[in-house]
Amino acid sequence: MLGCVLWIEEFNLATWTKWMTLPEWTSVQATWASSSDHSKPQLIPPKYRHHKLPLRFEPRTASELGSGIQSLAATHEQLIIGWTGDILSPTPSEHIASETVDSKDRAALDEALLAYQPKESDPDDDRKITYVPVWLDDKVGHGHYDGYCKQTLWPLFHYLLWQDVATEYASADAHYPYYEFANAAFARKIAQVYQPGDLVWVHDYHILLVPRLVREAIPDVVLGLFVHTPFPSSEIFRCLPRRKEILDGMLGANLICFQTYSYSRHFTSTCVRVCGYETNSRGIDVEGHVTAIMHCPVGVDAERVGRDIKRPGIQPKLEALRTLYENKKIIVGRDKLDVVKGVLQKVCVSHLIFVFSPARRRI
């Protein structure tokens, strides 16, 4: 069973997958997908035009996440579970509070999602992706994402501790109820669509409580968790007020994968030092439930990228760029404006290239 789970270790979006070689198997994956604009977290597909049909969807997610899902779609049926994100209004720069959307409009979204397929989908693939939305009140959704995820977990996982010593505990814990509520909503939705034999694959730090919550509802579930962020050393992680709740939530999985060996080692030592759990050759033992720990670097679907280059309309754009920048080389960078991304350092390095190598100033 774990061998099947490992086959999809690189995929970042939660999907419901029917294994073609084992017809009786299906898989459900869950994730928190966001747009590149952190102020507007989104679901795939995220945008729902209130009271206007047909509904308009604009999928937004990190490129490696999308690549993973599309690669899996070539061989599997999938069900993706995600938050609706902000619901845009027909009026520019406005959005509709999700709690004001009635059951009729929510049902209309569910129906529209059944026929929706991203434009990046392989036209030769007849295995469609099914999307299932998770509805959260705006206060909960943004308290979860902009609050606990981005103000507490994200800095901590990148070794950036809270600076206000006087209110450190309160500020680090202020948005936890929203995080807990959102995770519970995801777990309930998974339990609703789950069928015996399904595989559940949960992704990233936004929903670390989901594995335990799902296991409490479905004790025999086969569930994996992939953490795409770094995982800090135990000395840093123990600064988190809700450290035990987060660790116990993660350990509800059968398998936890990290990007590197050092992250997996940090997680194991943290479980031992913070919670006092025992480890053995199979993983971490929590009252008889053993969670395997591995490092499985995420990859890029190179074959899909190669196909995309040949899509209609791409070559003319490439030729236009070659003509515009003839006899020059182009340095391209794409980063979110986040303190952990090192954008300033990358700009400085580019400047130094030109300073110490004048011949490259025309690239």
Side-chain angles (χ1 to χ4, degrees), residues 8 35 93 122 138 180 188 215-216 234 256 266 291 355:
I8 56 174
S35 71
S93 72
D122 190 336
D138 286 1
E180 189 175 37
R188 287 194 298 271
R215 186 161 302 283
E216 289 175 350
S234 60
I256 304 177
H266 286 165
T291 301
V355 170

Side-chain angles (χ1 to χ4, degrees), residues 63 66-67 70-71 118-123 300-318:
S63 58
S67 295
Q70 293 305 320
S71 177
K119 62 182 180 180
E120 297 86 359
S121 298
D122 190 336
V300 175
D301 188 353
E303 292 184 358
R304 174 176 170 269
V305 173
R307 292 196 306 269
D308 288 345
I309 294 177
K310 300 177 182 179
R311 290 182 182 275
I314 300 298
Q315 288 302 321
K317 294 179 180 179
L318 292 176

